[in-house]
Structures are given as C-alpha cells and as structure tokens.
Coordinates of all heavy atoms in Angstrom, one line a residue:
M1 N 0.8 -1.2 0.0 CA 0.0 0.0 0.0 C 0.9 1.3 -0.1 O 2.0 1.3 0.6 CB -0.9 0.0 1.3 CG -1.6 1.4 1.4 SD -2.8 1.3 2.7 CE -4.2 0.6 2.0
S2 N 0.4 2.2 -0.6 CA 1.1 3.5 -0.6 C 1.0 4.3 0.7 O 0.0 4.1 1.4 CB 0.4 4.4 -1.7 OG 0.8 5.7 -1.7
D3 N 2.0 5.1 1.0 CA 1.8 5.9 2.1 C 1.2 7.3 1.8 O 1.2 8.2 2.6 CB 3.1 6.0 2.8 CG 4.3 6.8 2.1 OD1 4.0 7.0 0.9 OD2 5.3 7.1 2.7
V4 N 1.0 7.5 0.5 CA 0.5 8.8 -0.1 C -1.0 8.7 0.0 O -1.7 7.9 -0.7 CB 1.0 9.0 -1.4 CG1 0.5 10.4 -1.9 CG2 2.5 9.1 -1.5
A5 N -1.7 9.5 0.9 CA -3.2 9.3 1.0 C -3.8 10.7 1.3 O -3.2 11.8 1.5 CB -3.4 8.5 2.2
L6 N -5.1 10.8 1.1 CA -6.0 11.9 1.5 C -7.1 11.4 2.5 O -7.7 10.4 2.4 CB -6.7 12.5 0.3 CG -5.8 13.2 -0.7 CD1 -6.6 13.5 -2.1 CD2 -5.2 14.4 -0.1
L7 N -7.4 12.4 3.3 CA -8.6 12.2 4.4 C -9.4 13.5 4.1 O -8.9 14.6 4.4 CB -8.2 11.9 5.7 CG -9.3 11.8 6.7 CD1 -10.1 10.6 6.4 CD2 -8.7 11.8 8.1
A8 N -10.7 13.2 3.7 CA -11.5 14.4 3.6 C -12.7 14.2 4.5 O -13.3 13.1 4.5 CB -12.0 14.5 2.0
R9 N -13.2 15.3 5.0 CA -14.4 15.4 5.7 C -15.3 16.4 5.1 O -15.0 17.5 4.6 CB -14.2 15.8 7.3 CG -13.5 14.8 8.0 CD -13.4 14.8 9.4 NE -14.7 14.7 10.0 CZ -15.2 15.3 10.9 NH1 -14.6 16.3 11.5 NH2 -16.5 15.0 11.4
I10 N -16.7 16.0 4.9 CA -17.6 16.7 4.2 C -18.7 16.9 5.0 O -19.4 15.9 5.4 CB -17.9 16.0 2.8 CG1 -16.6 15.8 2.0 CG2 -18.9 16.8 2.0 CD1 -16.7 14.7 1.0
K11 N -19.2 18.1 5.2 CA -20.3 18.5 6.1 C -21.5 18.9 5.0 O -21.3 20.1 4.5 CB -20.1 19.5 7.1 CG -19.2 18.9 8.2 CD -19.0 19.6 9.4 CE -20.2 19.5 10.3 NZ -20.4 18.5 11.0
A12 N -22.5 18.3 4.9 CA -23.6 18.6 4.1 C -24.6 19.5 4.7 O -24.8 19.3 6.0 CB -24.3 17.3 3.5
R13 N -25.3 20.3 4.1 CA -26.4 21.0 4.7 C -27.5 19.9 4.8 O -27.6 19.0 3.9 CB -27.0 22.1 3.7 CG -26.0 23.2 3.5 CD -26.4 24.2 2.6 NE -25.4 25.1 2.2 CZ -25.5 26.4 2.3 NH1 -26.6 27.1 2.5 NH2 -24.5 27.2 2.1
P14 N -28.3 19.9 5.8 CA -29.3 18.8 6.1 C -30.2 18.5 5.0 O -30.4 17.3 4.6 CB -30.1 19.3 7.3 CG -29.2 20.3 8.0 CD -28.3 21.0 6.9
E15 N -30.7 19.5 4.1 CA -31.6 19.3 3.1 C -30.9 18.6 1.9 O -31.5 18.2 0.9 CB -32.3 20.6 2.6 CG -31.4 21.7 2.1 CD -30.9 22.6 3.2 OE1 -30.6 22.3 4.4 OE2 -30.4 23.7 2.8
Y16 N -29.5 18.6 1.8 CA -28.9 18.0 0.7 C -28.0 16.8 1.2 O -27.3 16.2 0.4 CB -27.9 19.1 0.1 CG -28.5 20.2 -0.6 CD1 -28.6 21.5 0.0 CD2 -29.2 20.0 -1.7 CE1 -29.3 22.5 -0.6 CE2 -29.8 20.9 -2.4 CZ -29.9 22.3 -1.9 OH -30.5 23.3 -2.6
A17 N -28.2 16.3 2.4 CA -27.4 15.2 2.8 C -27.7 13.8 1.9 O -26.7 13.3 1.7 CB -27.9 14.8 4.3
D18 N -28.8 13.6 1.5 CA -29.1 12.5 0.7 C -28.4 12.7 -0.7 O -27.8 11.7 -1.3 CB -30.6 12.2 0.5 CG -31.2 11.7 1.9 OD1 -30.5 11.1 2.7 OD2 -32.4 11.8 2.0
A19 N -28.5 13.9 -1.3 CA -27.8 14.1 -2.5 C -26.3 13.9 -2.3 O -25.6 13.4 -3.4 CB -28.2 15.4 -3.0
V20 N -25.7 14.5 -1.3 CA -24.3 14.3 -1.1 C -24.0 12.7 -1.0 O -23.0 12.3 -1.6 CB -23.8 15.0 0.1 CG1 -22.3 14.7 0.4 CG2 -23.9 16.6 -0.2
A21 N -24.8 12.1 -0.2 CA -24.5 10.5 -0.1 C -24.4 9.9 -1.4 O -23.7 9.1 -1.7 CB -25.6 9.9 0.8
A22 N -25.5 10.2 -2.3 CA -25.6 9.6 -3.6 C -24.5 10.0 -4.5 O -23.9 9.1 -5.2 CB -27.0 10.1 -4.3
M23 N -24.0 11.2 -4.5 CA -22.8 11.7 -5.2 C -21.6 10.8 -4.8 O -20.9 10.4 -5.7 CB -22.6 13.3 -5.0 CG -21.5 13.6 -5.8 SD -21.1 15.4 -5.5 CE -20.6 15.4 -3.9
L24 N -21.5 10.6 -3.5 CA -20.3 9.8 -3.1 C -20.4 8.4 -3.5 O -19.4 7.8 -3.8 CB -20.1 10.0 -1.5 CG -19.6 11.4 -1.1 CD1 -19.7 11.5 0.5 CD2 -18.2 11.7 -1.6
R25 N -21.6 7.8 -3.4 CA -21.7 6.4 -3.8 C -21.3 6.3 -5.3 O -20.8 5.3 -5.8 CB -23.2 6.0 -3.5 CG -23.4 5.4 -2.1 CD -24.7 4.7 -2.1 NE -25.9 5.6 -2.3 CZ -26.5 6.3 -1.4 NH1 -26.1 6.3 -0.1 NH2 -27.5 7.1 -1.8
D26 N -21.9 7.3 -6.1 CA -21.6 7.2 -7.6 C -20.2 7.5 -7.8 O -19.7 7.1 -8.9 CB -22.5 8.2 -8.2 CG -24.0 7.9 -8.1 OD1 -24.3 6.8 -7.7 OD2 -24.8 8.8 -8.5
A27 N -19.4 8.3 -7.1 CA -18.1 8.6 -7.3 C -17.1 7.4 -7.3 O -16.0 7.5 -8.0 CB -17.7 9.6 -6.3
V28 N -17.6 6.3 -6.7 CA -16.6 5.1 -6.8 C -16.3 4.7 -8.2 O -15.2 4.3 -8.5 CB -17.2 4.0 -6.0 CG1 -18.4 3.3 -6.6 CG2 -16.1 2.9 -5.6
E29 N -17.2 4.9 -9.2 CA -17.0 4.6 -10.5 C -15.9 5.4 -11.2 O -15.0 5.0 -11.8 CB -18.3 4.6 -11.4 CG -19.3 3.6 -11.0 CD -18.8 2.1 -11.1 OE1 -17.9 1.9 -12.0 OE2 -19.1 1.4 -10.1
L30 N -15.9 6.7 -10.8 CA -14.8 7.6 -11.2 C -13.5 7.2 -10.6 O -12.5 7.3 -11.3 CB -15.2 9.1 -10.9 CG -16.5 9.6 -11.5 CD1 -16.8 11.1 -10.9 CD2 -16.3 9.6 -13.1
A31 N -13.5 6.9 -9.3 CA -12.3 6.4 -8.6 C -11.7 5.3 -9.3 O -10.4 5.1 -9.5 CB -12.5 6.2 -7.1
R32 N -12.6 4.3 -9.8 CA -12.1 3.1 -10.4 C -11.4 3.4 -11.7 O -10.5 2.6 -12.3 CB -13.3 2.2 -10.6 CG -13.7 1.5 -9.4 CD -14.9 0.5 -9.6 NE -15.2 -0.1 -8.5 CZ -16.5 -0.3 -8.1 NH1 -17.5 0.0 -8.9 NH2 -16.7 -0.9 -6.9
Q33 N -11.7 4.6 -12.3 CA -11.0 5.0 -13.7 C -9.7 5.6 -13.4 O -9.0 5.8 -14.4 CB -12.0 5.8 -14.4 CG -13.3 5.2 -14.8 CD -14.3 6.1 -15.4 OE1 -13.9 7.2 -15.9 NE2 -15.5 5.8 -15.3
E34 N -9.3 6.0 -12.2 CA -8.2 6.7 -12.0 C -7.1 5.8 -11.7 O -7.0 5.1 -10.8 CB -8.3 7.6 -10.7 CG -9.3 8.7 -10.8 CD -9.4 9.6 -9.6 OE1 -9.0 9.2 -8.5 OE2 -10.1 10.6 -9.8
T35 N -6.0 5.7 -12.6 CA -5.0 4.7 -12.5 C -4.0 4.9 -11.4 O -3.5 3.9 -10.8 CB -4.2 4.6 -13.9 OG1 -3.6 6.0 -14.0 CG2 -5.0 4.3 -15.0
G36 N -3.9 6.1 -10.9 CA -3.1 6.4 -9.8 C -3.7 6.2 -8.4 O -3.1 6.3 -7.4
T37 N -5.0 6.0 -8.3 CA -5.7 5.8 -7.1 C -5.7 4.3 -6.8 O -6.3 3.5 -7.6 CB -7.2 6.2 -7.2 OG1 -7.2 7.7 -7.5 CG2 -8.0 6.1 -5.9
V38 N -5.1 3.9 -5.6 CA -4.9 2.6 -5.2 C -6.3 2.0 -4.5 O -6.8 1.1 -4.9 CB -3.7 2.4 -4.3 CG1 -3.6 0.9 -3.8 CG2 -2.5 2.8 -5.2
T39 N -6.7 2.9 -3.5 CA -7.9 2.5 -2.7 C -8.7 3.7 -2.5 O -8.1 4.9 -2.6 CB -7.6 1.9 -1.3 OG1 -6.9 3.0 -0.6 CG2 -6.8 0.6 -1.4
W40 N -10.0 3.5 -2.5 CA -10.9 4.8 -2.4 C -12.0 4.3 -1.5 O -12.8 3.2 -1.8 CB -11.4 5.2 -3.6 CG -12.1 6.5 -3.7 CD1 -11.6 7.8 -3.8 CD2 -13.5 6.8 -3.6 NE1 -12.6 8.7 -3.8 CE2 -13.9 8.0 -3.6 CE3 -14.6 5.9 -3.4 CZ2 -15.1 8.6 -3.6 CZ3 -15.9 6.3 -3.3 CH2 -16.1 7.8 -3.4
F41 N -12.3 4.9 -0.4 CA -13.4 4.6 0.5 C -14.3 5.9 0.8 O -13.7 7.0 1.1 CB -13.0 4.2 1.8 CG -12.1 2.9 1.8 CD1 -10.7 3.1 1.6 CD2 -12.6 1.7 1.9 CE1 -9.8 2.0 1.6 CE2 -11.8 0.5 1.7 CZ -10.5 0.7 1.6
A42 N -15.6 5.9 0.6 CA -16.5 7.0 1.1 C -17.2 6.5 2.3 O -17.6 5.2 2.4 CB -17.4 7.3 -0.1
F43 N -17.4 7.3 3.3 CA -18.1 6.8 4.5 C -19.0 7.9 5.0 O -19.0 9.1 4.6 CB -17.3 6.4 5.5 CG -16.1 7.4 5.9 CD1 -16.3 8.3 7.0 CD2 -14.9 7.5 5.3 CE1 -15.4 9.2 7.3 CE2 -13.9 8.5 5.7 CZ -14.3 9.3 6.7
R44 N -19.9 7.6 5.9 CA -20.9 8.5 6.5 C -20.6 8.4 8.0 O -20.7 7.4 8.6 CB -22.3 8.1 6.2 CG -23.4 9.2 6.6 CD -24.7 8.8 6.1 NE -25.5 9.9 6.0 CZ -26.5 10.0 5.2 NH1 -26.8 9.1 4.4 NH2 -27.2 11.1 5.1
E45 N -20.4 9.6 8.7 CA -20.2 9.7 10.1 C -21.5 9.9 10.8 O -21.7 9.5 11.9 CB -19.2 10.7 10.4 CG -17.8 10.4 10.3 CD -16.9 11.5 10.8 OE1 -17.0 11.9 12.0 OE2 -16.0 11.9 10.0
S46 N -22.3 10.7 10.2 CA -23.6 11.1 10.8 C -24.6 11.5 9.8 O -24.2 11.3 8.6 CB -23.4 12.3 11.8 OG -23.1 13.5 11.1
D47 N -25.7 11.9 10.2 CA -26.7 12.3 9.2 C -26.2 13.3 8.1 O -26.6 13.2 6.8 CB -27.9 12.9 9.8 CG -28.9 11.9 10.5 OD1 -28.6 10.6 10.3 OD2 -29.7 12.3 11.3
T48 N -25.3 14.2 8.5 CA -24.8 15.2 7.6 C -23.3 15.2 7.3 O -22.8 16.1 6.6 CB -25.3 16.6 8.0 OG1 -24.8 16.8 9.4 CG2 -26.7 16.7 8.0
T49 N -22.7 14.4 8.0 CA -21.1 14.4 8.0 C -20.6 13.2 7.2 O -21.0 12.0 7.6 CB -20.4 14.4 9.3 OG1 -21.0 15.6 10.0 CG2 -18.9 14.6 9.2
F50 N -19.8 13.4 6.1 CA -19.4 12.3 5.4 C -17.8 12.4 5.3 O -17.2 13.4 5.7 CB -19.9 12.5 3.9 CG -21.4 12.4 3.9 CD1 -22.1 13.5 4.1 CD2 -22.0 11.2 3.7 CE1 -23.5 13.5 4.0 CE2 -23.4 11.2 3.6 CZ -24.2 12.4 3.7
G51 N -17.2 11.4 4.7 CA -15.8 11.5 4.5 C -15.4 10.6 3.3 O -16.1 9.7 2.8
V52 N -14.1 10.8 3.0 CA -13.5 10.0 1.9 C -12.1 9.8 2.4 O -11.3 10.7 2.8 CB -13.4 10.7 0.5 CG1 -12.7 9.9 -0.5 CG2 -15.0 11.0 0.0
F53 N -11.6 8.5 2.2 CA -10.3 8.1 2.5 C -9.7 7.5 1.2 O -10.4 6.5 0.8 CB -10.1 7.3 3.7 CG -8.6 6.9 3.9 CD1 -7.7 7.7 4.4 CD2 -8.2 5.6 3.6 CE1 -6.4 7.2 4.5 CE2 -7.0 5.1 3.7 CZ -5.9 6.0 4.2
D54 N -8.7 7.9 0.8 CA -8.1 7.3 -0.5 C -6.5 7.3 -0.4 O -6.0 8.0 0.2 CB -8.6 7.9 -1.7 CG -8.8 9.4 -1.6 OD1 -8.3 10.0 -0.8 OD2 -9.5 9.9 -2.5
T55 N -6.0 6.2 -1.1 CA -4.6 6.1 -1.2 C -4.1 6.1 -2.7 O -4.9 5.9 -3.6 CB -4.1 4.9 -0.5 OG1 -4.6 3.8 -1.2 CG2 -4.5 4.8 0.9
F56 N -2.8 6.6 -2.9 CA -2.4 6.7 -4.3 C -1.1 6.0 -4.5 O -0.3 5.8 -3.5 CB -2.3 8.2 -4.5 CG -3.6 8.9 -4.3 CD1 -3.9 9.4 -3.0 CD2 -4.6 8.9 -5.2 CE1 -5.1 10.1 -2.8 CE2 -5.8 9.5 -5.0 CZ -6.0 10.0 -3.7
A57 N -0.8 5.7 -5.7 CA 0.5 5.1 -6.1 C 1.7 6.0 -5.7 O 2.8 5.6 -5.4 CB 0.5 4.7 -7.5
D58 N 1.5 7.3 -5.9 CA 2.5 8.2 -5.7 C 1.9 9.7 -5.6 O 0.7 9.7 -5.7 CB 3.6 8.2 -6.7 CG 3.1 8.3 -8.1 OD1 2.0 9.0 -8.4 OD2 3.7 7.6 -9.0
G59 N 2.7 10.6 -5.4 CA 2.2 12.0 -5.3 C 1.5 12.5 -6.6 O 0.6 13.3 -6.6
R60 N 2.2 12.0 -7.7 CA 1.5 12.4 -9.0 C 0.0 11.9 -9.1 O -0.8 12.6 -9.6 CB 2.3 11.8 -10.1 CG 3.6 12.6 -10.4 CD 4.3 12.1 -11.7 NE 4.4 10.7 -11.8 CZ 5.5 10.0 -11.3 NH1 6.4 10.7 -10.9 NH2 5.5 8.7 -11.5
G61 N -0.2 10.8 -8.7 CA -1.6 10.2 -8.6 C -2.5 10.9 -7.7 O -3.7 11.1 -8.1
R62 N -1.9 11.3 -6.5 CA -2.7 12.1 -5.6 C -3.1 13.5 -6.2 O -4.1 14.0 -6.1 CB -2.0 12.3 -4.3 CG -2.8 13.1 -3.2 CD -2.1 13.2 -1.9 NE -0.8 13.8 -2.0 CZ 0.0 13.7 -1.1 NH1 -0.2 13.1 0.0 NH2 1.3 14.2 -1.2
D63 N -2.0 14.2 -6.8 CA -2.3 15.4 -7.4 C -3.3 15.4 -8.6 O -4.2 16.2 -8.7 CB -1.0 16.0 -7.9 CG 0.0 16.4 -6.8 OD1 -0.6 16.4 -5.6 OD2 1.2 16.5 -7.0
A64 N -3.2 14.2 -9.3 CA -4.2 14.1 -10.5 C -5.6 14.0 -9.9 O -6.6 14.5 -10.4 CB -3.8 12.9 -11.4
H65 N -5.7 13.2 -8.8 CA -7.0 13.0 -8.2 C -7.6 14.3 -7.6 O -8.8 14.6 -7.9 CB -6.8 11.9 -7.0 CG -8.1 11.9 -6.2 ND1 -9.1 11.0 -6.7 CD2 -8.6 12.3 -5.1 CE1 -10.2 11.1 -5.8 NE2 -9.8 11.7 -4.9
L66 N -6.7 15.1 -7.0 CA -7.2 16.4 -6.6 C -7.7 17.4 -7.7 O -8.4 18.3 -7.4 CB -6.1 17.1 -5.8 CG -5.8 16.5 -4.4 CD1 -4.6 17.1 -3.8 CD2 -7.1 16.7 -3.4
R67 N -7.2 17.1 -8.9 CA -7.6 17.9 -10.1 C -8.6 17.1 -10.9 O -9.1 17.7 -12.0 CB -6.4 18.3 -11.0 CG -5.4 19.3 -10.3 CD -4.4 19.5 -11.4 NE -3.7 18.4 -12.0 CZ -2.8 17.8 -11.6 NH1 -2.1 18.1 -10.5 NH2 -2.2 16.7 -12.3
G68 N -9.2 16.0 -10.4 CA -9.9 15.1 -11.3 C -11.3 15.3 -11.1 O -11.9 16.4 -10.5
R69 N -12.2 14.4 -11.7 CA -13.6 14.5 -11.9 C -14.3 14.5 -10.4 O -15.3 15.1 -10.3 CB -14.0 13.5 -12.8 CG -13.6 13.7 -14.2 CD -14.1 12.7 -15.3 NE -15.4 12.5 -15.3 CZ -16.0 11.4 -15.9 NH1 -15.2 10.4 -16.2 NH2 -17.3 11.3 -15.9
I70 N -13.9 13.7 -9.6 CA -14.5 13.6 -8.2 C -14.4 15.0 -7.5 O -15.3 15.6 -7.0 CB -13.9 12.6 -7.3 CG1 -14.2 11.1 -8.0 CG2 -14.6 12.6 -6.0 CD1 -13.5 10.0 -7.4
A71 N -13.2 15.6 -7.5 CA -12.9 16.8 -6.9 C -13.8 18.0 -7.7 O -14.4 18.9 -7.0 CB -11.5 17.3 -6.9
E72 N -13.9 17.8 -8.9 CA -14.7 18.7 -9.7 C -16.0 18.7 -9.3 O -16.7 19.7 -9.2 CB -14.5 18.5 -11.2 CG -15.1 19.4 -12.1 CD -14.9 19.1 -13.5 OE1 -13.7 19.1 -14.0 OE2 -15.9 18.6 -14.3
A73 N -16.6 17.6 -9.3 CA -18.1 17.3 -8.9 C -18.4 17.9 -7.5 O -19.4 18.5 -7.3 CB -18.4 15.9 -8.9
L74 N -17.5 17.6 -6.6 CA -17.6 18.1 -5.2 C -17.7 19.6 -5.1 O -18.5 20.1 -4.5 CB -16.6 17.5 -4.3 CG -16.7 17.8 -2.8 CD1 -18.1 17.3 -2.2 CD2 -15.5 17.1 -2.0
M75 N -16.7 20.2 -5.8 CA -16.6 21.5 -5.7 C -17.7 22.3 -6.5 O -18.1 23.4 -6.1 CB -15.2 22.1 -6.3 CG -14.0 21.6 -5.5 SD -14.3 21.8 -3.6 CE -14.3 23.5 -3.4
S76 N -18.3 21.6 -7.6 CA -19.4 22.3 -8.2 C -20.8 22.3 -7.3 O -21.5 23.2 -7.7 CB -19.8 21.4 -9.4 OG -20.4 20.2 -9.2
V77 N -20.8 21.6 -6.3 CA -22.0 21.6 -5.4 C -21.6 22.3 -4.1 O -22.6 22.4 -3.2 CB -22.7 20.2 -5.3 CG1 -23.2 19.8 -6.6 CG2 -21.8 19.2 -4.5
A78 N -20.4 22.6 -3.9 CA -20.0 23.0 -2.5 C -20.8 24.2 -2.0 O -21.2 24.3 -0.8 CB -18.4 23.3 -2.5
A79 N -21.1 25.3 -2.8 CA -21.8 26.4 -2.4 C -23.2 26.1 -2.0 O -23.8 26.7 -1.1 CB -21.8 27.4 -3.5
T80 N -23.8 25.2 -2.6 CA -25.3 25.0 -2.3 C -25.5 23.8 -1.5 O -26.4 23.9 -0.6 CB -25.9 24.6 -3.7 OG1 -25.3 23.6 -4.4 CG2 -26.0 25.9 -4.6
H81 N -24.7 22.7 -1.6 CA -24.9 21.4 -0.9 C -24.2 21.3 0.5 O -24.6 20.5 1.3 CB -24.6 20.2 -1.7 CG -25.7 20.0 -2.8 ND1 -26.2 21.0 -3.6 CD2 -26.0 18.8 -3.3 CE1 -27.0 20.4 -4.5 NE2 -26.9 19.2 -4.4
L82 N -23.2 22.1 0.6 CA -22.3 21.8 1.8 C -22.4 23.0 2.7 O -22.6 24.1 2.4 CB -20.8 21.6 1.4 CG -20.5 20.6 0.3 CD1 -18.9 20.5 0.1 CD2 -21.0 19.3 0.8
A83 N -22.3 22.6 4.1 CA -22.4 23.6 5.2 C -21.1 24.4 5.3 O -21.1 25.5 5.7 CB -22.7 22.8 6.4
S84 N -20.0 23.8 4.8 CA -18.7 24.5 4.9 C -17.8 23.9 3.7 O -18.1 22.8 3.3 CB -18.1 24.3 6.2 OG -17.9 22.9 6.6
P85 N -16.7 24.4 3.4 CA -15.8 23.9 2.4 C -15.3 22.5 3.0 O -15.2 22.3 4.1 CB -14.7 24.9 2.3 CG -15.2 26.1 2.8 CD -16.2 25.8 3.8
P86 N -15.2 21.6 2.0 CA -14.5 20.2 2.4 C -13.2 20.5 3.1 O -12.4 21.2 2.7 CB -14.4 19.5 1.1 CG -15.1 20.3 0.1 CD -15.3 21.7 0.6
D87 N -12.9 19.6 4.1 CA -11.7 19.6 4.8 C -10.9 18.5 4.2 O -11.1 17.3 4.5 CB -11.9 19.5 6.4 CG -10.6 19.5 7.1 OD1 -9.5 19.8 6.6 OD2 -10.7 19.1 8.4
I88 N -9.9 18.8 3.3 CA -9.2 17.7 2.7 C -7.6 17.9 3.1 O -7.1 18.9 3.1 CB -9.2 17.9 1.2 CG1 -10.7 17.9 0.7 CG2 -8.4 16.9 0.4 CD1 -10.9 18.3 -0.8
R89 N -7.3 16.7 3.6 CA -5.8 16.7 4.2 C -5.0 15.6 3.7 O -5.5 14.6 3.5 CB -5.8 16.5 5.8 CG -6.6 17.5 6.5 CD -6.9 17.2 7.9 NE -7.7 18.2 8.5 CZ -7.5 18.8 9.7 NH1 -6.4 18.4 10.4 NH2 -8.3 19.7 10.1
K90 N -3.8 16.0 3.3 CA -2.8 15.0 2.9 C -2.3 14.2 4.1 O -1.9 14.9 5.1 CB -1.6 15.7 2.2 CG -2.1 16.3 0.8 CD -0.9 16.9 0.2 CE -1.3 17.6 -1.0 NZ -0.2 18.3 -1.8
V91 N -2.4 12.9 4.1 CA -1.9 12.1 5.3 C -1.1 11.1 4.7 O -1.0 10.7 3.5 CB -3.1 11.5 6.0 CG1 -3.9 12.6 6.6 CG2 -4.0 10.7 5.1
A92 N -0.3 10.4 5.6 CA 0.6 9.3 5.3 C 0.1 8.1 6.1 O -0.2 8.3 7.3 CB 2.0 9.6 5.7
V93 N -0.1 6.9 5.4 CA -0.4 5.8 6.2 C 0.8 5.1 6.8 O 1.8 4.9 6.2 CB -1.0 4.7 5.0 CG1 -1.3 3.4 5.7 CG2 -2.2 5.4 4.3
L94 N 0.6 4.8 8.0 CA 1.8 4.3 8.8 C 1.7 2.8 8.7 O 2.8 2.1 8.8 CB 1.7 4.7 10.1 CG 1.9 6.3 10.4 CD1 1.8 6.7 11.8 CD2 3.2 6.7 9.8
A95 N 0.4 2.2 8.7 CA 0.4 0.8 8.7 C -1.0 0.4 8.2 O -1.9 1.3 8.2 CB 0.5 0.1 10.0
S96 N -1.2 -0.8 7.6 CA -2.5 -1.2 7.0 C -2.6 -2.7 7.1 O -1.6 -3.4 7.2 CB -2.6 -0.7 5.6 OG -1.7 -1.3 4.8
K97 N -4.0 -3.1 6.9 CA -4.2 -4.5 6.8 C -5.3 -4.6 5.6 O -6.4 -4.0 5.8 CB -4.9 -5.1 8.1 CG -5.2 -6.6 7.9 CD -6.0 -7.1 9.1 CE -6.5 -8.5 8.8 NZ -7.4 -8.6 7.9
L98 N -4.9 -5.3 4.6 CA -5.8 -5.5 3.5 C -6.0 -6.9 3.2 O -5.1 -7.7 3.5 CB -5.3 -4.6 2.3 CG -5.2 -3.2 2.4 CD1 -4.5 -2.7 1.2 CD2 -6.7 -2.6 2.5
P99 N -7.0 -7.4 2.6 CA -7.2 -8.8 2.2 C -6.2 -9.3 1.3 O -5.5 -8.5 0.6 CB -8.6 -8.9 1.7 CG -9.1 -7.4 1.5 CD -8.2 -6.5 2.1

C-alpha cells in the first residue's frame, strides 16, 4: 500500500445530505477509472457528515485526483450542498491490513 493518502471530511447541509451521499456512492466509478488511485473509501459519520479516504501510487496520482472529476463534482456543489468547504488533508499511512 502507498503511504500517499488523503482524508476528507464533508459536512452537508441537512436538506442536501441524501444528494451528497448519492454523489459519493456514484463517485466510486470515477475512482475506479483513476490509474493512480490505489484505494478509495467513502463513508458516513452522521446524518450530515461524510468522508473520503483514499490512497495513491505516488504524489502524481494524488495530485491528479485532486484535479480530477471527483474533486470537480464536489466543488461544483460546494456552495449549495455543503455547510462548509470540504476539509481535505494529505496524510501518510503508517500501517495497514488489507485482504
């Protein structure tokens, strides 16, 4: 597994929470098309709080993802669907267990 990763927290406005959840569920297909994305997970913390954790083959893959279609889709609805801008952080994986 790569140590190059992103952790994003996304807070939806209550009236758009279902739309944000659907967008994240659909985004997995876009993540599958990204050759530099190794793993991609979308999750829900609460009714209005979501997150994405993803890992990349290298920094180029991460940078491409940040400029890619998932980021573009998220930013296109940020002003209307989100309670605040997404909190996207570059992180390093220290250890992992995968099948």
Side-chain angles (χ1 to χ4, degrees):
M1 171 176 279
S2 165
D3 66 349
V4 180
L6 291 172
L7 178 63
R9 292 193 71 221
I10 301 159
K11 295 192 72 73
R13 294 177 192 230
E15 64 271 26
Y16 291 107
D18 289 340
V20 171
M23 182 182 69
L24 290 172
R25 275 193 299 273
D26 293 344
V28 71
E29 293 305 322
L30 297 174
R32 287 181 178 137
Q33 296 172 22
E34 296 177 348
T35 58
T37 300
V38 177
T39 61
W40 189 90
F41 302 91
F43 58 90
R44 189 174 205 157
E45 279 185 55
S46 70
D47 288 345
T48 58
T49 304
F50 301 88
V52 175
F53 175 75
D54 33 16
T55 64
F56 306 91
D58 53 33
R60 286 187 309 269
R62 180 175 58 194
D63 292 344
H65 176 76
L66 287 169
R67 293 186 311 272
R69 293 174 62 197
I70 296 171
E72 181 181 297
L74 183 61
M75 296 316 292
S76 74
V77 300
T80 55
H81 289 40
L82 304 185
S84 59
D87 179 10
I88 302 171
R89 298 173 187 225
K90 293 179 179 179
V91 297
V93 175
L94 298 178
S96 64
K97 178 190 177 289
L98 295 172

